[in-house]
Amino acid sequence: MNAFMFEIISIVIAFIAFIFAGWLYKWVEKQPSSNAKIAQVGGLIRQGAKTFLNKEYRVLARFAGVAAVLILVFLPSPIWKGEYMQNILMALSYIAGTVFSAIAGKIGIQIATIANIKAAEAAKNGIKPSFMAGFRGGAVMGMAVVGSSLLGVSAVFMITGDTTALLGFSFGASSLALFAKAGGGIFTKTADISADLVGKVELGIPEDDPRNPAVIADNVGDNVGDVAGMGADLFDSNVASMAAALVMAGALDALSGAAINVSMVFCYAAIGLLASIIGVAMAKIGKHGSPTRALNSSTYVTTAIYGVLTAAATYLFDFSWRIWGACIVGLLVGVIIGIASDYFTDDTKKPVHYVARASKSGPAFTVLSGISYGLLSVLPAMIGIAVAALAAYKLCEPMGDGYAMFGISMAAVGMLSIVGMIISNDAYGPIVDNARGLAEMGNLGDKVLDITDELDSAGNTVKAVTKGFAIAAAGLTVIALLGAFMSEVNTAAAELGVEGLVGFDIINPMVFFGLLIGAAIPAVFSAMLMLGVDRNAQRMVGEIHRQFDTIPGLKVGDPNAVPEYDKCIEIATNGAIKELIPAGLMAIIATLGVGFIGGVQAIGGFLTGNIVSGLLLALFMSNSGGLWDNAKKYVESGHEGGKGSDAHKSAVVGDTVGDPFKDTAGPSINTQITVVSLVSSLLSTLFLTMSLF
């Protein structure tokens, strides 16, 4: 079989994923729902999510339009040099990346705002039907995102035959993901923090009490941040890992005159999607089963299926067992990092219990203990990424020049091979979180609330695991993109007859200059996003106070007193749109500044610093945020004094601090790292020829 056949097979499996997603969508849609109040509130959530997404996409379309024109003029080389067809292909690939990413987010919102209603009502019949409605709703997103990424990469490569065009496609996906994740994160945490501070802390009313004017905005935020945003994020990671692997595979195949490495990338990626389809189809839970165990066992089943199928393909098509080994190392390390994240965030484990106990002494101790455990949680994941990169490098090093870095890229492909299942688990979280809110607003009773609380707790735990997985995968992907950057520089250097890159010496002042600036960017980027949440939340808290003070009977629960939910949705939407662009632009402008001042050596240092600092901050913020959230839920379930106690108030404060950590800044950093890596690769020729030093 040649590479073309594997590309065709990849496209066929992508369409199978779309057909399966369509079946799951119809299954969820057919589940019974009859509660008028839930239907009304669900409609408000769906409308709010659509309104935000439409506004956000209009702003991002303008950004993408400007970026596409700049790419057309300057990339891969200035258009006036005569190779205008390459520039056109690059610009079209970029636009395709943004469109595919946007469609994935739109599909996620569409199903999530149906599945939340179905999961809430299904809880009346027990945990099993409610879990299945939530999980299969999330699986629609999983199948759509991975199917789109595999179809997009295969189609762009088939049409252009150019790996640099793939970097353009990946940059389109990454740039949209960066702003979608940042905008969705600012929206969701603005509403969540405001609702919690005024509702729970000041007034002592339940989390999803319909009296709270911010409660609908909070539920909308779960969808635009955790469904559309995370979907775009993992779409971007999956595309970037394949693009980096194919850039290096193409360079290696050009030297050997065969297409074995390109074939292997497509084969392994297609098998990953197939394994996820099988894993989702096999997922189940007993009548009194544990949702956390059901979600985790689905991941382990998918992992095992992938390992067996790729081993069979390696044997059948005579691929390299060393590269298969690198791929499996990445996959296993991804699972191990997930388990480490689970230990620090699961409400059955000691760290959560300790933070809940510390909350009895006041919010300062909640924050201090949460930060400490968050910092501790970084070590296992960083060791995992380091071991995966080193093992993949050493496994493939004996194969010859270029294969060591290609091994790292294949470890990233391996880690992201089961991303269809990972997204399914991740999207399940906000769906059941919404279902819990709908159950409370629809007065479905304590039994239903207990079931949805259990599902929501599992969703929080799994969300922490999937965020850790996504960050680790981004870590390996950007190390592979560093290899892709070197590959692009060396190709351009050979054409220009100048010296290429063999590595980056940190004693070199140019490399060190880039290293220090690159290390600072994730911290500044995080601060800008969290300050955006801070400013926006303060505006919303003022609006909630205004409504409680001016709408007669609202505070005491008069049935005729209806909050102005749309005002809070409007504040969250406008604030998020205003705040989402500056942080992303700052990261891109800093990359351009370092590249045009210090050249490719400085960019090597910049990317290295950005990767290390970004991974550390992203893991710390995601895990500490998940820890605070589950410590609050642990107290609310009756431990350490239960609801209304001093420990509960302290735990809510900790959760409020953790919200922008885990849902705004933390998961956005890995997209920021990917974006600057892709900008560096795309502009490598310009940095090589037009730097100040």
Side-chain angles (χ1 to χ4, degrees):
M1 278 192 177
N2 56 26
F4 180 75
M5 286 303 298
F6 284 105
E7 290 157 29
I8 294 292
I9 289 167
S10 296
I11 290 170
V12 169
I13 290 176
F15 278 107
I16 291 170
F18 295 144
I19 293 164
F20 185 47
W23 180 83
L24 290 168
Y25 189 100
K26 288 294 180 189
W27 185 91
V28 172
E29 209 172 33
K30 282 179 184 171
Q31 299 311 298
S33 55
S34 55
N35 186 298
K37 178 67 176 175
I38 286 179
Q40 181 202 358
V41 175
L44 289 171
I45 293 169
R46 187 180 305 114
Q47 190 53 48
K50 282 183 179 175
T51 301
F52 172 76
L53 216 59
N54 290 341
K55 274 192 177 183
E56 182 182 55
Y57 282 176
R58 279 200 294 274
V59 171
L60 295 182
R62 289 198 285 272
F63 170 84
V66 172
V69 170
L70 291 172
I71 287 168
L72 178 66
V73 174
F74 294 108
L75 295 177
S77 59
I79 198 166
W80 55 85
K81 291 195 173 178
E83 299 287 338
Y84 63 91
M85 272 311 296
Q86 284 189 315
N87 291 56
I88 291 170
L89 284 174
M90 180 69 84
L92 290 174
S93 297
Y94 170 79
I95 291 166
T98 61
V99 169
F100 271 71
S101 185
I103 289 170
K106 197 83 172 171
I107 290 169
I109 289 289
Q110 188 67 28
I111 184 60
T113 51
I114 295 171
N116 56 5
I117 295 171
K118 306 297 184 179
E121 295 232 27
K124 291 186 291 188
N125 301 317
I127 197 164
K128 181 179 177 179
S130 187
F131 171 84
M132 291 307 290
F135 177 75
R136 285 188 166 175
V140 174
M141 180 73 169
M143 297 300 103
V145 166
V146 187
S148 298
S149 61
L150 188 59
L151 176 64
V153 170
S154 302
V156 168
F157 192 74
M158 278 179 73
I159 293 164
T160 65
D162 180 11
T163 52
T164 306
L166 280 178
L167 292 175
F169 181 79
S170 185
F171 180 51
S174 295
S175 58
L176 191 111
L178 179 67
F179 296 121
K181 191 72 198 123
I186 292 167
F187 183 110
T188 184
K189 291 307 112 181
T190 293
D192 197 354
I193 287 171
S194 306
D196 277 1
L197 284 179
V198 180
K200 283 185 179 179
V201 177
E202 288 184 27
L203 302 177
I205 62 177
E207 182 167 358
D208 293 298
D209 194 301
R211 285 175 288 174
N212 194 329
V215 74
I216 301 295
D218 185 11
N219 285 307
V220 170
D222 288 335
N223 291 291
V224 298
D226 290 339
V227 177
M230 185 54 89
D233 179 6
L234 283 165
F235 176 87
D236 146 52
S237 291
N238 199 35
V239 168
S241 72
M242 287 183 69
L246 286 166
V247 166
M248 283 182 269
L252 291 167
D253 285 345
L255 292 173
S256 67
I260 188 81
N261 294 306
V262 166
S263 299
M264 200 185 314
V265 176
F266 280 113
C267 180
Y268 285 4
I271 288 172
L273 179 51
L274 187 62
S276 291
I277 293 170
I278 298 167
V280 167
M282 290 172 66
K284 61 182 186 297
I285 184 175
K287 279 188 178 180
H288 306 290
S290 159
T292 305
R293 197 176 303 121
L295 293 167
N296 287 338
S297 62
S298 298
T299 304
Y300 301 144
V301 165
T302 306
T303 302
I305 292 168
Y306 180 77
V308 171
L309 290 180
T310 47
T314 303
Y315 174 77
L316 197 62
F317 301 116
D318 201 25
F319 294 148
S320 166
W321 285 103
R322 286 182 176 275
I323 294 173
W324 177 82
C327 201
I328 296 302
V329 163
L331 178 60
L332 293 177
V333 167
V335 173
I336 290 164
I337 289 169
I339 291 167
S341 297
D342 176 68
Y343 175 76
F344 284 98
T345 56
D346 191 335
D347 61 5
T348 64
K349 305 291 193 302
K350 283 184 179 178
V352 168
H353 296 175
Y354 181 82
V355 172
R357 190 158 61 251
S359 299
K360 291 164 77 173
S361 304
F365 294 96
T366 310
V367 172
L368 192 60
S369 58
I371 285 175
S372 302
Y373 276 117
L375 289 168
L376 279 173
S377 74
V378 168
L379 185 62
M382 293 294 269
I383 290 173
I385 296 166
V387 167
L390 183 62
Y393 189 97
K394 287 296 179 185
L395 263 172
C396 299
E397 193 177 26
M399 294 176 67
D401 287 346
Y403 275 98
M405 284 304 291
F406 180 56
I408 294 176
S409 73
M410 289 306 290
V413 169
M415 194 178 276
L416 281 160
S417 58
I418 58 165
V419 75
M421 178 57 77
I422 296 299
I423 295 171
S424 302
N425 285 358
D426 195 80
Y428 157 91
I431 288 170
V432 294
D433 189 358
N434 268 202
R436 193 246 174 249
L438 290 169
E440 187 165 308
M441 287 184 264
N443 297 316
L444 295 185
D446 289 341
K447 182 189 168 193
V448 169
L449 281 178
D450 288 344
I451 286 170
T452 50
D453 271 336
E454 189 179 346
L455 293 172
D456 187 23
S457 178
N460 267 327
T461 302
V462 173
K463 256 199 320 186
V465 172
T466 56
K467 281 190 175 82
F469 182 94
I471 293 162
L476 274 181
T477 300
V478 291
I479 294 168
L481 282 170
L482 193 57
F485 167 70
M486 288 177 66
S487 181
E488 291 288 298
V489 169
N490 289 338
T491 301
E495 288 173 6
L496 296 166
V498 297
E499 190 181 347
L501 289 173
V502 289
F504 305 107
D505 178 4
I506 62 165
I507 304 300
N508 180 329
M510 277 302 156
V511 175
F512 201 67
F513 159 77
L515 187 78
L516 291 177
I517 296 172
I521 296 300
V524 177
F525 177 78
S526 302
M528 291 175 76
L529 292 183
M530 289 196 286
L531 283 169
V533 172
D534 180 34
R535 285 189 290 267
N536 222 19
Q538 287 188 43
R539 286 192 286 268
M540 192 179 287
V541 166
E543 172 60 23
I544 297 168
H545 283 148
R546 182 196 70 77
Q547 292 195 34
F548 275 126
D549 292 342
T550 59
I551 298 176
L554 181 61
K555 202 175 285 188
V556 294
D558 184 338
N560 297 316
V562 180
E564 296 172 354
Y565 296 123
D566 57 325
K567 290 277 171 61
C568 287
I569 292 172
E570 191 179 335
I571 286 171
T573 300
N574 294 339
I577 298 295
K578 180 182 169 187
E579 303 282 1
L580 69 86
I581 296 287
L585 275 183
M586 177 279 301
I588 293 170
I589 290 166
T591 311
L592 298 177
V594 169
F596 286 123
I597 291 169
V600 292
Q601 291 285 351
I603 284 290
F606 177 86
L607 293 179
T608 307
N610 197 258
I611 290 165
V612 175
S613 157
L615 288 176
L616 189 146
L617 274 174
L619 288 161
F620 156 64
M621 289 197 282
S622 287
N623 287 342
S624 53
L627 174 62
W628 278 314
D629 194 345
N630 272 348
K632 175 199 73 175
K633 284 187 165 56
Y634 182 72
V635 172
E636 286 176 345
S637 66
H639 300 91
E640 309 298 347
K643 287 183 182 178
S645 64
D646 288 341
H648 183 223
K649 288 179 180 174
S650 298
V652 171
V653 172
D655 181 39
T656 305
V657 174
D659 275 339
F661 269 42
K662 71 177 169 58
D663 290 325
T664 307
S668 298
I669 291 174
N670 51 324
T671 318
Q672 176 265 305
I673 304 170
T674 309
V675 166
V676 300
S677 299
L678 287 163
V679 168
S680 301
S681 291
L682 289 167
L683 297 176
S684 55
T685 305
L686 295 179
F687 292 154
L688 185 67
T689 56
M690 295 175 63
S691 62
L692 187 61
F693 294 104

